[in-house]
Amino acid sequence: MNEIRNTATNLMDKQLGRNPVSETYGQPVQDPSGATMKAVVFDGSRNVKIDEVPKPTITHPKDVIVKTTACTICSGSDSHMFSGEIPGRNKGSVLGHESCGIVVERGSEVKDLFVGERVVIAFDIACGSCSFCKRREFTGCDTTNDTKLMDVNYGAHHSAIFGYTKMLGDVPGCQAEYIRVPFGDVNCYKLPEDIPDIKGLYMSDVLCTSLHACELGSVQKGNTVAIWGMGPIGLFAGRWAQILGAKRVIGIEVIPDRIKIARNRFGFEVIDRNEVKDIPKKILELIPDGPDVAIDATGFRFTTTMLQKIERAVGLETDSADVIFECFQSVRKYGHVALIADYVGTSNQFPVGHIMMKHLTVRSGQCPCQNYFDRVVKAIRSGEIDPEWMITNKVKFDDLPDAYEKLFYKQDGYLKVFCQM
Ligand SMILES: NC(=O)c1ccc[n+]([C@@H]2O[C@H](COP(=O)([O-])OP(=O)(O)OC[C@H]3O[C@@H](n4cnc5c(N)ncnc54)[C@H](O)[C@@H]3O)[C@@H](O)[C@H]2O)c1
Ligand SMILES: [Zn+2]
Ligand SMILES: [Zn+2]
């Protein structure tokens, strides 16, 4: 099924071609010297490997080239890629969207970045000057993702994202020795000297995205917040909720190691799905009106009911609505639901009536990291946020393929890795 979807996506992409922006923006080109570098590449469903690929070079005057000093694997989104379930990923394409490094080359129109500066790179790629970027809606950037495929599927296109699929711009990722960052001034954030790589790296996604989850859910002082999924995103969404003044954070998770971390390191109340079958019933026993905010930090792949398992298996839907149902069923009337988890396609049994009958506000979307960098740095400096709470494994670059497997199959306690180059 995945192979068929992938082939169909590739064919459609070829037929539809590119939006006109590609003429000015340009696709990546190889360093003229013919130099190569090591990178983690997609090698088909549930396979990644280290390979020699062309070293990138400046393609557009607003590009910078960053030499990677540290990178990591996104436990959620890179696992979706690894699964092979997201169509439009060619074998050999470079993965990764969480890294930091040193600027080694700058295009002629780059204003604020200079060779030798340390930067963290936002996972989303924005131009800074289209109408969406001007409103700071960076993940809606109209310039950086030039595929027409997304316009056909969604009626508009998302910004590009590093190391993702054709639908998200097909831009080479950062699990590599070097990365070309389009619109460097917009998408790189200068790391202050007192923020080492082991902390700053995680600003590229997790620390900003988890704060975005709380913003989408409008978490307020005194709120009760329930979060499905105690992966890196769910854990830090809970931590931000505490910082924003939530009086109770309740996590829902199935993996014992993660339940332990959520309870002991983050101090959340956690419902263990291995022990509790009916999650909304349990939540409503704990909070009779229901939590003020429900955050879904799981993902489109996770099912709990036989119906959704079957529908996904036979291709009747791409995305499970199981966790969404539990969020809607549990949250209080007039409550807020934040879908920070990745959803990509269509879902049957989506409980649309709950939104009307319980007067819910439901928000979702990819995080515009650029909006959160300053707040995250402040919280790291004050010690309120410590990304090291989630690092379970320090790995060498050559061990990244193995770490992909561990994260995908949720083995050996892997939660978040740190790879210093
Ligand atoms: N919106 C954004 O900008 C953005 C950015 C980064 C990641 N994401 C997405 O956020 C999600 C979380 O990311 P992550 O890195 O923490 O991923 P992860 O896969 O490590 O964590 C998801 C967790 O959910 C748990 N889970 C699965 N089914 C469950 C269920 N029915 N009830 C409770 N828990 C369940 C899993 O055991 C796992 O621990 C992913 O879907 C990821 O793709 C979104
Ligand atoms: Zn990520
Ligand atoms: Zn833009």
Side-chain angles (χ1 to χ4, degrees):
M1 182 64 70
N2 294 340
E3 289 307 316
I4 295 169
R5 289 214 329 253
N6 218 6
T7 311
T9 305
N10 284 342
L11 274 173
M12 257 177 92
D13 185 61
K14 257 197 194 134
Q15 278 165 9
L16 292 165
R18 301 262 156 201
N19 281 317
V21 286
S22 62
E23 284 156 29
T24 50
Y25 168 61
Q27 293 298 297
V29 290
Q30 180 171 9
D31 189 300
S33 68
T36 59
M37 64 171 181
K38 276 210 286 191
V40 178
V41 303
F42 184 68
D43 196 31
S45 188
R46 303 198 181 186
N47 270 310
V48 303
K49 65 176 184 186
I50 308 273
D51 210 352
E52 279 295 318
V53 301
K55 185 170 170 259
T57 189
I58 301 281
T59 305
H60 182 280
K62 292 186 176 170
D63 286 350
V64 294
I65 304 293
V66 173
K67 183 177 182 355
T68 309
T69 53
C71 69
T72 183
I73 299 171
C74 186
S75 171
S77 308
D78 283 335
S79 288
H80 302 325
M81 298 298 314
F82 183 81
S83 76
E85 287 190 35
I86 303 191
R89 183 84 293 199
N90 286 337
K91 278 190 182 184
S93 48
V94 179
L95 296 169
H97 58 261
E98 300 185 32
S99 74
C100 59
I102 296 170
V103 176
V104 289
E105 258 186 274
R106 65 198 289 269
S108 57
E109 289 176 27
V110 173
K111 290 198 179 104
D112 297 330
L113 286 177
F114 297 92
V115 169
E117 286 182 323
R118 285 177 68 233
V119 293
V120 58
I121 304 162
F123 76 81
D124 57 305
I125 311 171
C127 76
S129 52
C130 71
S131 60
F132 290 88
C133 286
K134 279 189 186 143
R135 291 191 297 266
R136 303 193 70 80
E137 296 165 349
F138 296 108
T139 36
C141 176
D142 241 345
T143 311
T144 55
N145 181 1
D146 59 6
T147 177
K148 283 184 181 161
L149 199 54
M150 208 173 215
D151 301 60
V152 171
N153 286 349
Y154 300 91
H157 50 274
H158 196 282
S159 75
I161 289 183
F162 287 109
Y164 238 69
T165 57
K166 282 192 190 315
M167 277 213 279
L168 288 163
D170 212 7
V171 181
C174 64
Q175 285 158 5
E177 290 176 284
Y178 295 88
I179 180 165
R180 163 183 161 264
V181 183
F183 303 100
D185 285 326
V186 183
N187 301 309
C188 292
Y189 181 85
K190 291 187 202 185
L191 276 175
E193 258 185 45
D194 60 328
I195 308 281
D197 282 6
I198 198 161
K199 293 186 192 289
L201 162 63
Y202 301 100
M203 290 167 57
S204 53
D205 184 348
V206 176
L207 301 181
C208 296
T209 299
S210 50
L211 176 53
H212 188 55
C214 289
E215 292 282 316
L216 292 175
S218 297
V219 174
Q220 309 287 322
K221 198 163 184 255
N223 276 176
T224 298
V225 180
I227 305 171
W228 277 251
M230 294 283 96
I233 302 288
L235 287 167
F236 275 96
R239 179 64 196 141
W240 282 112
Q242 290 172 332
I243 293 168
L244 291 165
K247 70 166 186 271
R248 257 175 116 171
V249 174
I250 296 170
I252 300 104
E253 177 56 70
V254 69
I255 300 173
D257 296 319
R258 295 186 175 196
I259 292 172
K260 246 186 238 156
I261 291 175
R263 281 189 183 136
N264 303 340
R265 216 169 285 173
F266 287 78
F268 307 154
E269 296 168 57
V270 186
I271 302 174
D272 181 344
R273 297 201 77 100
N274 301 298
E275 292 168 1
V276 177
K277 285 275 163 290
D278 189 339
I279 299 290
K281 185 164 167 251
K282 178 71 188 174
I283 292 179
L284 292 170
E285 275 167 25
L286 293 172
I287 313 148
D289 279 348
D292 303 288
V293 182
I295 297 176
D296 174 359
T298 61
F300 71 96
R301 289 183 289 115
F302 298 112
T303 49
T304 50
T305 62
M306 189 50 73
L307 181 59
Q308 298 278 304
K309 271 192 184 73
I310 294 170
E311 293 211 42
R312 290 199 74 235
V314 299
L316 285 175
E317 66 174 14
T318 52
D319 297 16
S320 162
D322 280 341
V323 173
I324 295 176
F325 173 80
E326 291 184 358
C327 291
F328 287 9
Q329 183 80 359
S330 313
V331 72
R332 75 163 168 84
K333 289 177 281 185
Y334 284 88
H336 290 250
V337 181
L339 307 179
I340 198 69
D342 280 343
Y343 286 94
V344 292
T346 57
S347 184
N348 302 316
Q349 280 79 46
F350 179 83
V352 66
H354 279 68
I355 303 175
M356 167 64 94
M357 295 302 170
K358 291 182 78 177
H359 323 280
L360 304 181
T361 302
V362 182
R363 294 181 69 200
S364 183
Q366 297 285 343
C367 172
C369 291
Q370 294 82 347
N371 288 335
Y372 295 109
F373 286 142
D374 288 337
R375 276 170 82 182
V376 174
V377 163
K378 233 171 126 189
I380 292 177
R381 279 197 172 129
S382 71
E384 286 178 306
I385 287 283
D386 186 352
E388 292 190 54
W389 292 339
M390 70 177 157
I391 299 171
T392 49
N393 304 78
K394 294 188 179 169
V395 298
K396 296 198 182 78
F397 190 77
D398 287 342
D399 297 332
L400 284 174
D402 179 54
Y404 259 89
E405 287 209 9
K406 295 276 173 34
L407 282 166
F408 180 75
Y409 295 108
K410 315 283 186 216
Q411 287 171 341
D412 299 347
Y414 271 59
L415 174 64
K416 196 76 184 173
V417 302
F418 175 71
C419 173
Q420 187 92 58
M421 303 289 279

